[in-house]
Amino acid sequence: MSPINRQVLTLDEFTIQSLRQFPQATGELSTLLRDIGLASKRVNVEVNKAGLVDILGDTGTMNVQGEEVKKLDVFANNQFTGVLQRGVSCAGIASEEMDEFVSFDDDVSRNSKYICMYDPLDGSGNIDVNVSIGTIFGIYRRVSDRGTPVTREDFLQKGKHQVAAGYIVYGSSTMLVYATRRGVNGFTLDPSIGEFCLSHPDLKCPDAGNIYSVNHGNYYQYEEGVKKYITLCQNKNKTNGGPYTQRYIGSMVSDVHRNLIKGGIFMYPGTIEKPKGKLRLLYECNPFAFIVEAAGGKATNGVQPILEIQPTELHQRTPFFIGSKTMMEEMESCLASERTEEKIKA
Ligand code: P6P
């Protein structure tokens, strides 16, 4: 009988292995990622039994976004904030669920070199109907002096300054995907040992794809270039690189995760009612832009790369286009051509 050959690396083994490759590394980033893995396992337990315990539904409060706060939103936010506050690598956090950033004011945290921003549970409107949801996070080196409380400037950094970014998707399986400058790796939670195990090493975003993700309900509020690109997607066939298919779950973590693996484009454009769109720059768009670009894709606000935008507010929104390089370039040319047309007509 062949011996049991379990060579799959856990998240902890993977981060420690990366640490061994860079002896000058202090291990603080590895520890921070392990903390995030721990919090996500606790969130996963509650998400998986959401229908059985009194954790569904609303808290009866609204967040800074003016959205109903679900009980699981609060639980998830407390889990991530708690592990990072009790850890040794994070000096402070900003969260979709909290109006202001939080400085962890104890000696150890004050001397930590990283800050973290997250949406603790994105897509929470889908919780009650059992559609997959997710956590999104981005990690930066603080720009303020270690030993002092964090400042707003620590959080208003361009997305290109992220040291690492990732997401957890609580779906048919629970996956943690994170990117550093060295690449993107995916870990699937093995419930039998309660560990995230390396399942998608060195993830790459296919240059081409045939999936386009957008909310057609807003079609008539989009700018002409977006409408032009949607029509182009609908007219794809076997002779011009198609057929394309439209997939939109209404949970960005799931939509972007699928397109990252299979190839595709996700769009949340600005509309007449919401010119800046709906998605938040700091803790939704920047992390995904970092991840997808590290995997070879592209992410823009329709004018400039997401990672180059200089943030001015914690909860600012941005139009968002992200995905496979060739699809993004085709979309950008539609925007440009229509904007040129509009200028000529003006
Ligand atoms: P709409 C979920 O609320 C979310 O923030 C993203 O996860 C998702 O992509 C988007 O909103 C869906 O918004 O307006 O299409 O329902």
Side-chain angles (χ1 to χ4, degrees):
M1 180 187 294
S2 63
I4 296 175
N5 179 14
R6 195 174 181 82
Q7 293 303 314
V8 179
L9 285 177
T10 66
L11 175 64
D12 289 5
E13 290 170 323
F14 183 84
T15 54
I16 289 166
Q17 193 178 65
S18 311
L19 194 51
R20 287 165 60 92
Q21 288 170 357
F22 298 90
Q24 75 282 7
T26 62
E28 283 184 86
L29 181 59
S30 302
T31 307
L32 209 164
L33 288 166
R34 294 213 305 273
D35 290 344
I36 287 172
L38 172 60
S40 61
K41 285 189 269 190
R42 289 177 173 153
V43 170
N44 181 61
V45 167
E46 296 311 317
V47 167
N48 282 348
K49 62 184 182 186
L52 299 174
V53 294
D54 179 26
I55 199 159
L56 281 179
D58 305 331
T59 58
T61 60
M62 305 291 266
N63 64 17
V64 67
Q65 330 289 343
E67 294 163 344
E68 284 176 343
V69 177
K70 302 285 187 181
K71 291 174 185 171
L72 261 178
D73 283 325
V74 174
F75 175 81
N77 188 58
N78 293 343
Q79 290 305 315
F80 285 97
T81 305
V83 290
L84 293 175
Q85 185 150 21
R86 294 189 295 270
V88 295
S89 311
C90 185
I93 59 100
S95 165
E96 188 214 32
E97 294 303 328
M98 301 163 99
D99 300 4
E100 277 304 323
F101 65 87
V102 176
S103 183
F104 296 152
D105 276 343
D106 62 86
D107 291 342
V108 171
S109 299
R110 247 198 305 275
N111 279 293
S112 298
K113 67 179 171 185
Y114 296 116
I115 58 106
C116 190
M117 290 183 252
Y118 45 80
D119 181 354
L121 208 57
D122 177 70
S124 54
N126 294 308
I127 293 172
D128 299 5
V129 292
N130 208 24
V131 169
S132 55
I133 50 185
T135 298
I136 313 164
F137 63 90
I139 301 167
Y140 297 74
R141 277 187 195 78
R142 62 185 298 182
V143 294
S144 56
D145 295 336
R146 295 175 71 167
T148 64
V150 295
T151 64
R152 185 171 297 277
E153 286 63 39
D154 288 319
F155 298 95
L156 298 182
Q157 299 182 58
K158 289 183 179 181
K160 69 180 180 183
H161 296 309
Q162 289 175 103
V163 175
Y167 60 87
I168 297 96
V169 52
Y170 309 98
S172 49
S173 66
T174 296
M175 270 193 74
L176 185 153
V177 176
Y178 82 86
T180 63
R181 298 229 171 281
R182 293 194 295 277
V184 186
N185 291 284
F187 301 79
T188 300
L189 183 64
D190 179 344
S192 69
I193 58 172
E195 294 287 356
F196 282 104
C197 297
L198 184 64
S199 52
H200 296 68
D202 195 24
L203 266 172
K204 297 295 182 196
C205 182
D207 268 352
N210 68 356
I211 298 171
Y212 75 100
S213 306
V214 69
N215 182 338
H216 276 270
N218 299 327
Y219 179 84
Y220 291 104
Q221 291 198 51
Y222 295 144
E223 67 174 282
E224 289 311 309
V226 172
K227 292 181 195 171
K228 180 177 181 179
Y229 180 66
I230 290 173
T231 304
L232 183 145
C233 291
Q234 292 169 328
N235 287 322
K236 288 283 185 181
N237 52 50
K238 288 200 175 89
T239 61
N240 60 6
Y244 279 13
T245 188
Q246 203 266 349
R247 288 286 183 272
Y248 191 75
I249 297 175
S251 192
M252 176 167 68
V253 176
S254 302
D255 279 318
V256 178
H257 175 70
R258 178 201 54 241
N259 293 359
L260 168 63
I261 291 177
K262 292 191 166 187
I265 187 169
F266 172 91
M267 300 180 281
Y268 205 104
T271 63
I272 296 167
E273 282 174 25
K274 300 177 186 172
K276 288 290 186 188
K278 172 182 184 182
L279 302 175
R280 272 65 57 138
L281 173 64
L282 266 58
Y283 39 76
E284 290 176 330
C285 301
N286 269 337
F288 268 121
F290 185 84
I291 296 160
V292 170
E293 294 210 347
K298 283 189 81 175
T300 81
N301 64 357
V303 175
Q304 67 180 117
I306 288 287
L307 297 179
E308 290 294 344
I309 298 174
Q310 175 56 59
T312 54
E313 295 164 30
L314 286 183
H315 302 290
Q316 72 186 72
R317 300 173 193 265
T318 177
F320 192 44
F321 303 84
I322 187 169
S324 296
K325 201 165 192 175
T326 56
M327 298 179 85
M328 286 289 292
E329 287 164 354
E330 203 165 39
M331 181 279 301
E332 287 170 310
S333 63
C334 288
L335 294 185
S337 65
E338 287 303 314
R339 288 171 181 172
T340 307
E341 286 291 313
E342 283 164 7
K343 273 186 190 156
I344 292 168
K345 287 177 194 161

Short mmCIF file of all heavy atoms in Angstrom, two decimals, residues 132-178:
data_model
loop_
_atom_site.label_atom_id
_atom_site.label_comp_id
_atom_site.label_asym_id
_atom_site.label_seq_id
_atom_site.Cartn_x
_atom_site.Cartn_y
_atom_site.Cartn_z
N SER A 132 -22.81 33.21 -2.20
CA SER A 132 -21.46 33.33 -1.63
C SER A 132 -21.10 34.80 -1.39
O SER A 132 -21.54 35.70 -2.10
CB SER A 132 -20.43 32.67 -2.53
OG SER A 132 -20.52 33.20 -3.83
N ILE A 133 -20.31 35.03 -0.34
CA ILE A 133 -19.90 36.37 0.08
C ILE A 133 -18.39 36.33 0.37
O ILE A 133 -17.77 35.28 0.22
CB ILE A 133 -20.68 36.80 1.35
CG1 ILE A 133 -20.62 35.71 2.42
CG2 ILE A 133 -22.11 37.15 0.99
CD1 ILE A 133 -21.46 36.00 3.64
N GLY A 134 -17.83 37.48 0.75
CA GLY A 134 -16.39 37.46 0.93
C GLY A 134 -15.84 38.57 1.79
O GLY A 134 -16.54 39.52 2.13
N THR A 135 -14.56 38.44 2.13
CA THR A 135 -13.79 39.45 2.86
C THR A 135 -12.70 39.95 1.92
O THR A 135 -12.13 39.16 1.17
CB THR A 135 -13.13 38.81 4.11
OG1 THR A 135 -14.15 38.32 4.99
CG2 THR A 135 -12.25 39.82 4.84
N ILE A 136 -12.45 41.25 1.94
CA ILE A 136 -11.41 41.84 1.07
C ILE A 136 -10.46 42.65 1.94
O ILE A 136 -10.93 43.41 2.82
CB ILE A 136 -12.04 42.78 0.02
CG1 ILE A 136 -13.25 42.12 -0.66
CG2 ILE A 136 -11.01 43.19 -1.03
CD1 ILE A 136 -14.14 43.10 -1.42
N PHE A 137 -9.15 42.50 1.74
CA PHE A 137 -8.22 43.25 2.60
C PHE A 137 -6.99 43.73 1.83
O PHE A 137 -6.56 43.11 0.85
CB PHE A 137 -7.77 42.39 3.80
CG PHE A 137 -6.99 41.15 3.43
CD1 PHE A 137 -5.60 41.20 3.32
CD2 PHE A 137 -7.64 39.94 3.19
CE1 PHE A 137 -4.87 40.06 2.99
CE2 PHE A 137 -6.92 38.80 2.85
CZ PHE A 137 -5.53 38.86 2.74
N GLY A 138 -6.44 44.84 2.31
CA GLY A 138 -5.18 45.36 1.76
C GLY A 138 -4.24 45.74 2.89
O GLY A 138 -4.70 46.23 3.94
N ILE A 139 -2.96 45.48 2.73
CA ILE A 139 -1.96 45.74 3.78
C ILE A 139 -0.90 46.71 3.26
O ILE A 139 -0.39 46.54 2.15
CB ILE A 139 -1.28 44.41 4.20
CG1 ILE A 139 -2.32 43.41 4.72
CG2 ILE A 139 -0.20 44.67 5.26
CD1 ILE A 139 -1.79 41.99 4.86
N TYR A 140 -0.60 47.74 4.06
CA TYR A 140 0.39 48.77 3.69
C TYR A 140 1.41 48.91 4.82
O TYR A 140 1.10 48.66 5.99
CB TYR A 140 -0.28 50.14 3.52
CG TYR A 140 -1.31 50.25 2.42
CD1 TYR A 140 -2.57 49.66 2.54
CD2 TYR A 140 -1.03 50.96 1.26
CE1 TYR A 140 -3.51 49.77 1.53
CE2 TYR A 140 -1.98 51.08 0.24
CZ TYR A 140 -3.22 50.47 0.39
OH TYR A 140 -4.15 50.59 -0.61
N ARG A 141 2.61 49.35 4.47
CA ARG A 141 3.52 49.86 5.49
C ARG A 141 2.98 51.21 5.93
O ARG A 141 2.54 52.01 5.11
CB ARG A 141 4.93 50.06 4.93
CG ARG A 141 5.77 48.82 4.90
CD ARG A 141 7.22 49.11 4.50
NE ARG A 141 7.88 47.86 4.16
CZ ARG A 141 7.70 47.23 2.99
NH1 ARG A 141 6.90 47.76 2.07
NH2 ARG A 141 8.29 46.08 2.74
N ARG A 142 2.99 51.46 7.22
CA ARG A 142 2.57 52.78 7.70
C ARG A 142 3.59 53.82 7.26
O ARG A 142 4.79 53.51 7.11
CB ARG A 142 2.42 52.76 9.22
CG ARG A 142 3.70 52.47 9.96
CD ARG A 142 3.51 52.34 11.46
NE ARG A 142 3.01 53.58 12.06
CZ ARG A 142 2.80 53.71 13.36
NH1 ARG A 142 2.99 52.70 14.18
NH2 ARG A 142 2.34 54.84 13.85
N VAL A 143 3.14 55.05 7.03
CA VAL A 143 4.06 56.15 6.66
C VAL A 143 4.37 57.00 7.90
O VAL A 143 5.36 57.73 7.92
CB VAL A 143 3.46 57.03 5.54
CG1 VAL A 143 3.34 56.23 4.24
CG2 VAL A 143 2.10 57.60 5.92
N SER A 144 3.54 56.87 8.95
CA SER A 144 3.84 57.63 10.19
C SER A 144 4.91 56.89 10.99
O SER A 144 5.19 55.72 10.74
CB SER A 144 2.55 57.74 11.02
OG SER A 144 2.04 56.43 11.28
N ASP A 145 5.50 57.59 11.95
CA ASP A 145 6.61 56.99 12.71
C ASP A 145 6.14 55.85 13.60
O ASP A 145 5.12 55.98 14.30
CB ASP A 145 7.28 58.07 13.59
CG ASP A 145 7.94 59.15 12.72
OD1 ASP A 145 8.26 58.83 11.55
OD2 ASP A 145 8.05 60.29 13.21
N ARG A 146 6.88 54.76 13.61
CA ARG A 146 6.58 53.67 14.54
C ARG A 146 6.73 54.21 15.96
O ARG A 146 7.51 55.10 16.22
CB ARG A 146 7.52 52.49 14.28
CG ARG A 146 7.31 51.87 12.91
CD ARG A 146 8.28 50.78 12.59
NE ARG A 146 8.05 49.57 13.36
CZ ARG A 146 8.62 48.39 13.06
NH1 ARG A 146 9.48 48.33 12.03
NH2 ARG A 146 8.37 47.32 13.76
N GLY A 147 5.88 53.68 16.87
CA GLY A 147 5.92 54.17 18.25
C GLY A 147 4.89 55.25 18.49
O GLY A 147 4.66 55.68 19.63
N THR A 148 4.25 55.71 17.38
CA THR A 148 3.20 56.74 17.53
C THR A 148 1.88 56.16 17.02
O THR A 148 1.89 55.18 16.29
CB THR A 148 3.54 57.98 16.68
OG1 THR A 148 3.53 57.59 15.28
CG2 THR A 148 4.94 58.52 17.04
N PRO A 149 0.76 56.79 17.39
CA PRO A 149 -0.53 56.33 16.83
C PRO A 149 -0.57 56.52 15.32
O PRO A 149 0.06 57.43 14.80
CB PRO A 149 -1.56 57.23 17.52
CG PRO A 149 -0.87 57.77 18.74
CD PRO A 149 0.58 57.87 18.38
N VAL A 150 -1.30 55.66 14.60
CA VAL A 150 -1.39 55.82 13.15
C VAL A 150 -2.16 57.11 12.83
O VAL A 150 -2.89 57.64 13.67
CB VAL A 150 -2.10 54.62 12.49
CG1 VAL A 150 -1.28 53.35 12.66
CG2 VAL A 150 -3.51 54.43 13.04
N THR A 151 -1.96 57.60 11.61
CA THR A 151 -2.63 58.85 11.19
C THR A 151 -3.44 58.58 9.93
O THR A 151 -3.30 57.53 9.29
CB THR A 151 -1.55 59.91 10.84
OG1 THR A 151 -0.81 59.42 9.71
CG2 THR A 151 -0.62 60.15 12.02
N ARG A 152 -4.26 59.55 9.53
CA ARG A 152 -5.08 59.40 8.32
C ARG A 152 -4.20 59.15 7.09
O ARG A 152 -4.56 58.37 6.21
CB ARG A 152 -5.94 60.66 8.13
CG ARG A 152 -6.94 60.63 7.01
CD ARG A 152 -7.86 61.84 7.06
NE ARG A 152 -8.63 61.82 8.30
CZ ARG A 152 -9.75 61.09 8.44
NH1 ARG A 152 -10.20 60.35 7.42
NH2 ARG A 152 -10.41 61.10 9.58
N GLU A 153 -3.05 59.77 7.05
CA GLU A 153 -2.14 59.60 5.89
C GLU A 153 -1.73 58.13 5.72
O GLU A 153 -1.48 57.68 4.59
CB GLU A 153 -0.87 60.46 6.05
CG GLU A 153 -1.10 61.96 5.82
CD GLU A 153 -2.07 62.55 6.82
OE1 GLU A 153 -1.97 62.14 8.00
OE2 GLU A 153 -2.95 63.36 6.44
N ASP A 154 -1.67 57.39 6.82
CA ASP A 154 -1.32 55.95 6.70
C ASP A 154 -2.33 55.22 5.82
O ASP A 154 -2.01 54.24 5.16
CB ASP A 154 -1.28 55.30 8.09
CG ASP A 154 -0.06 55.74 8.91
OD1 ASP A 154 1.04 55.84 8.31
OD2 ASP A 154 -0.20 56.00 10.11
N PHE A 155 -3.59 55.71 5.84
CA PHE A 155 -4.66 55.01 5.13
C PHE A 155 -4.93 55.62 3.75
O PHE A 155 -5.54 54.99 2.90
CB PHE A 155 -5.94 55.03 5.98
CG PHE A 155 -5.77 54.31 7.29
CD1 PHE A 155 -5.43 55.00 8.45
CD2 PHE A 155 -5.89 52.93 7.35
CE1 PHE A 155 -5.24 54.32 9.65
CE2 PHE A 155 -5.70 52.24 8.55
CZ PHE A 155 -5.37 52.93 9.70
N LEU A 156 -4.48 56.86 3.53
CA LEU A 156 -4.75 57.52 2.24
C LEU A 156 -3.57 57.35 1.31
O LEU A 156 -3.12 58.29 0.65
CB LEU A 156 -5.09 59.00 2.47
CG LEU A 156 -6.36 59.25 3.30
CD1 LEU A 156 -6.64 60.74 3.40
CD2 LEU A 156 -7.58 58.52 2.70
N GLN A 157 -3.03 56.14 1.24
CA GLN A 157 -1.92 55.86 0.32
C GLN A 157 -2.47 55.30 -1.00
O GLN A 157 -3.51 54.65 -1.01
CB GLN A 157 -0.96 54.83 0.94
CG GLN A 157 -0.31 55.27 2.24
CD GLN A 157 0.66 54.21 2.75
OE1 GLN A 157 1.62 53.83 2.06
NE2 GLN A 157 0.44 53.73 3.97
N LYS A 158 -1.75 55.54 -2.09
CA LYS A 158 -2.16 54.95 -3.38
C LYS A 158 -2.11 53.43 -3.29
O LYS A 158 -1.25 52.87 -2.60
CB LYS A 158 -1.23 55.44 -4.49
CG LYS A 158 -1.40 56.91 -4.84
CD LYS A 158 -0.48 57.30 -6.01
CE LYS A 158 -0.67 58.76 -6.37
NZ LYS A 158 0.22 59.15 -7.53
N GLY A 159 -2.99 52.78 -4.02
CA GLY A 159 -3.06 51.31 -3.96
C GLY A 159 -1.78 50.63 -4.39
O GLY A 159 -1.48 49.52 -3.96
N LYS A 160 -0.97 51.34 -5.21
CA LYS A 160 0.30 50.71 -5.65
C LYS A 160 1.27 50.51 -4.50
O LYS A 160 2.25 49.77 -4.63
CB LYS A 160 0.95 51.56 -6.75
CG LYS A 160 1.49 52.90 -6.28
CD LYS A 160 2.11 53.66 -7.45
CE LYS A 160 2.66 55.02 -7.03
NZ LYS A 160 3.21 55.77 -8.20
N HIS A 161 1.01 51.15 -3.35
CA HIS A 161 1.91 50.99 -2.19
C HIS A 161 1.52 49.82 -1.31
O HIS A 161 2.12 49.62 -0.25
CB HIS A 161 1.94 52.29 -1.38
CG HIS A 161 2.52 53.46 -2.14
ND1 HIS A 161 3.75 53.40 -2.79
CD2 HIS A 161 2.03 54.69 -2.39
CE1 HIS A 161 3.98 54.55 -3.40
NE2 HIS A 161 2.97 55.36 -3.18
N GLN A 162 0.51 49.06 -1.71
CA GLN A 162 0.16 47.87 -0.91
C GLN A 162 1.34 46.90 -0.88
O GLN A 162 2.01 46.71 -1.92
CB GLN A 162 -1.08 47.18 -1.50
CG GLN A 162 -2.35 47.99 -1.27
CD GLN A 162 -3.57 47.38 -1.95
OE1 GLN A 162 -4.42 46.76 -1.31
NE2 GLN A 162 -3.67 47.59 -3.24
N VAL A 163 1.58 46.33 0.28
CA VAL A 163 2.61 45.30 0.45
C VAL A 163 2.02 43.94 0.10
O VAL A 163 2.69 43.06 -0.45
CB VAL A 163 3.09 45.30 1.93
CG1 VAL A 163 4.07 44.17 2.17
CG2 VAL A 163 3.70 46.64 2.29
N ALA A 164 0.73 43.79 0.43
CA ALA A 164 0.00 42.55 0.13
C ALA A 164 -1.49 42.89 0.10
O ALA A 164 -1.92 43.89 0.69
CB ALA A 164 0.28 41.48 1.18
N ALA A 165 -2.24 42.05 -0.61
CA ALA A 165 -3.70 42.23 -0.65
C ALA A 165 -4.33 40.86 -0.89
O ALA A 165 -3.68 39.97 -1.47
CB ALA A 165 -4.10 43.21 -1.75
N GLY A 166 -5.56 40.70 -0.46
CA GLY A 166 -6.18 39.39 -0.64
C GLY A 166 -7.66 39.41 -0.38
O GLY A 166 -8.26 40.47 -0.08
N TYR A 167 -8.25 38.25 -0.55
CA TYR A 167 -9.69 38.12 -0.24
C TYR A 167 -9.96 36.70 0.22
O TYR A 167 -9.15 35.78 -0.04
CB TYR A 167 -10.55 38.46 -1.47
CG TYR A 167 -10.31 37.60 -2.69
CD1 TYR A 167 -10.98 36.39 -2.87
CD2 TYR A 167 -9.39 37.99 -3.66
CE1 TYR A 167 -10.75 35.60 -4.00
CE2 TYR A 167 -9.15 37.19 -4.78
CZ TYR A 167 -9.84 36.01 -4.94
OH TYR A 167 -9.60 35.22 -6.06
N ILE A 168 -11.05 36.54 0.92
CA ILE A 168 -11.55 35.20 1.28
C ILE A 168 -12.93 35.10 0.63
O ILE A 168 -13.74 36.03 0.72
CB ILE A 168 -11.68 35.01 2.80
CG1 ILE A 168 -10.30 35.13 3.47
CG2 ILE A 168 -12.30 33.65 3.13
CD1 ILE A 168 -9.99 36.49 4.02
N VAL A 169 -13.20 34.01 -0.08
CA VAL A 169 -14.53 33.79 -0.65
C VAL A 169 -15.16 32.62 0.10
O VAL A 169 -14.59 31.53 0.19
CB VAL A 169 -14.49 33.56 -2.18
CG1 VAL A 169 -13.51 32.49 -2.60
CG2 VAL A 169 -15.89 33.31 -2.72
N TYR A 170 -16.31 32.90 0.74
CA TYR A 170 -17.04 31.89 1.51
C TYR A 170 -18.08 31.32 0.55
O TYR A 170 -19.20 31.78 0.46
CB TYR A 170 -17.71 32.51 2.73
CG TYR A 170 -16.76 33.34 3.59
CD1 TYR A 170 -16.71 34.72 3.46
CD2 TYR A 170 -15.91 32.73 4.51
CE1 TYR A 170 -15.83 35.48 4.21
CE2 TYR A 170 -15.03 33.49 5.29
CZ TYR A 170 -14.99 34.86 5.12
OH TYR A 170 -14.12 35.62 5.87
N GLY A 171 -17.66 30.31 -0.21
CA GLY A 171 -18.53 29.77 -1.26
C GLY A 171 -18.69 28.27 -1.13
O GLY A 171 -18.71 27.75 -0.01
N SER A 172 -18.78 27.56 -2.24
CA SER A 172 -18.94 26.09 -2.18
C SER A 172 -17.74 25.50 -1.43
O SER A 172 -17.87 24.51 -0.73
CB SER A 172 -19.01 25.53 -3.61
OG SER A 172 -17.96 26.04 -4.39
N SER A 173 -16.60 26.15 -1.57
CA SER A 173 -15.50 25.89 -0.62
C SER A 173 -15.06 27.27 -0.15
O SER A 173 -15.47 28.29 -0.71
CB SER A 173 -14.34 25.15 -1.30
OG SER A 173 -13.76 26.02 -2.28
N THR A 174 -14.25 27.32 0.89
CA THR A 174 -13.77 28.60 1.40
C THR A 174 -12.32 28.76 0.98
O THR A 174 -11.49 27.89 1.27
CB THR A 174 -13.91 28.67 2.92
OG1 THR A 174 -15.31 28.60 3.24
CG2 THR A 174 -13.34 29.97 3.48
N MET A 175 -12.06 29.82 0.23
CA MET A 175 -10.71 30.04 -0.30
C MET A 175 -10.16 31.37 0.17
O MET A 175 -10.88 32.36 0.28
CB MET A 175 -10.75 30.05 -1.83
CG MET A 175 -10.56 28.71 -2.49
SD MET A 175 -10.25 28.90 -4.26
CE MET A 175 -8.56 29.50 -4.22
N LEU A 176 -8.86 31.37 0.46
CA LEU A 176 -8.13 32.61 0.74
C LEU A 176 -7.12 32.80 -0.39
O LEU A 176 -6.33 31.89 -0.66
CB LEU A 176 -7.42 32.52 2.10
CG LEU A 176 -6.70 33.79 2.59
CD1 LEU A 176 -6.62 33.79 4.13
CD2 LEU A 176 -5.28 33.93 2.04
N VAL A 177 -7.21 33.93 -1.06
CA VAL A 177 -6.28 34.24 -2.15
C VAL A 177 -5.55 35.51 -1.75
O VAL A 177 -6.18 36.47 -1.32
CB VAL A 177 -7.03 34.47 -3.48
CG1 VAL A 177 -6.06 34.90 -4.59
CG2 VAL A 177 -7.81 33.23 -3.90
N TYR A 178 -4.20 35.48 -1.81
CA TYR A 178 -3.51 36.74 -1.53
C TYR A 178 -2.35 36.94 -2.47
O TYR A 178 -1.78 35.99 -3.01
CB TYR A 178 -3.07 36.83 -0.06
CG TYR A 178 -1.79 36.14 0.31
CD1 TYR A 178 -0.55 36.77 0.18
CD2 TYR A 178 -1.81 34.85 0.82
CE1 TYR A 178 0.63 36.14 0.55
CE2 TYR A 178 -0.63 34.20 1.19
CZ TYR A 178 0.58 34.86 1.06
OH TYR A 178 1.75 34.22 1.42
#
